Amino acid sequence: MGGIKDQTLSGVKWSAIGRFSTQGISFVIGLILARLLSPADYGIVGMLGIFFAIAQTFIDSGFGSALIRKKDCTDADYSTAFYFNIVVGIVCFLILFFSAPLIANFFDTPILKDISRVLAINLFVNSLTIVQGAKLTAALDFKSQAKISLVTTILSGIIGIAMAYTGHGVWSLVYQSISSNIIRAILLWYITHWRPQMKFSKQSFKYLFGFGSKILTASLLHTIYANLTTIIIGKFYTAKDLGYYSRGESLATLPSSNIMGILQSVTYPILSKIQDDDARLIQVYRKYISMASMVIFFGMCLLAALAEPFIITLLTDKWTNSIIFLQVFCFAWMFDHLCMLNLNILYVKGRSDLVLRLEVIKKTISIAMIIAAIPFGVLAICISRAIYTQIAVIINTYYTGKLYGLGYKEQVKDFIKYLIFSIIAVLPAYLLTFTNLHNIAILAIGGISACAIYWFLLRKDENFKEVIALVIEKIRPGRKGKV
């Protein structure tokens, strides 16, 4: 087996190609749709977010992660997971279909009845792809996943834009979502060549559910928390308010979620392969924290600094109210990779029980904070989530510190330098937003100057040098490194 450097770089390369090419195209498509549709259209679809997120969590039930972690998966394991996922998918579809009138009445938005029933198709379609996605990830086949994501985004984006341009309003977002999931499912089945056998093993189910059930419970808590604000804002405020809030959050999560998605998909199967070597596991894990922080902190700080010219230039003045939400969410999401990596190492070691315990504690705190913020407005709810992120990082590092001597204080040493450098680098860009320069000029000058300053501050950093060396090493043929 190749070295961890080779596997990580290769995985990151193809995962990054898939993520950034897909998200680049998705971003452009999103800009076009945001210009054609109204904030209220996005708010209406956003009201349904928590219901579909919870249903999708049940459909997966942690079986995908369990299949990736298991070193000797058999056809019986895959087939058992497949049939379980389908049954749960059908049940979730039926529940959501018949609950649609109640959802519409709850939000006092009649159109949600029809939208909920149409979007429920996604639940069954997604249940068909859990095993295929797990097989590609376990095999570190991120090249195929990149191709699937790219084709799916382009085709579904064309459908969404065509419908928005012809005046279909909120339904443009609905059918873009459905077409995206159907196209992805078709491509996954075509590329993996795996087909379920007529097998359902009680032994396999016991293992998969034993590991996955704890992930399911933890994921449910996280999903409810992540989407709780959608219900609150949709219920107590307007669809337009929810649209502004959701747009700010989605733009903030764009860079962080993509980088974290790459990290999650690449690091989990790689760390799983070395799960029995604690010393090496922690060494690689700390390297991931440093390198991820180096990139994410800078990207999020720069986005927060240039939020105003960024939104006005790309989305027009009708989205101006989203600026403050984008800035607050940037400071919330820039620490999320630390939470994810700390939980990842517990999953790798098979301690999903500890993850569940942490999620119960964190979500109890976060829900209390959100409820307390309701009377103070949508911005207060947003700020409460940013404060909670800092609490979550401290809590998530508890068991990492207890089991491996790598607690919060030790991890701060791995990332604090990059946070400070990032703030220093983007400060001139932020000051430019107070000048009379054209927004495009502010974006160009601010972005270039921030990158230059950050490069200057990092030029002697060992992790920065290693990243550059790895990239050069990968580009030059015939040279492969090992750890």
Side-chain angles (χ1 to χ4, degrees), residues 43-56:
I44 289 172
V45 174
M47 291 175 182
L48 298 172
I50 188 169
F51 304 105
F52 285 92
I54 290 175
Q56 187 58 47

Side-chain angles (χ1 to χ4, degrees), residues 37 60 220 264 387 440:
L37 303 175
D60 180 86
L220 276 176
Q264 176 74 15
I387 295 173
I440 295 178

Side-chain angles (χ1 to χ4, degrees), residues 178-197:
I178 292 175
S179 61
S180 174
N181 285 292
I182 292 175
I183 293 168
R184 177 176 176 272
I186 293 172
L187 293 176
L188 276 171
W189 275 72
Y190 175 76
I191 288 179
T192 58
H193 300 296
W194 179 83
R195 300 295 180 266
Q197 298 181 2

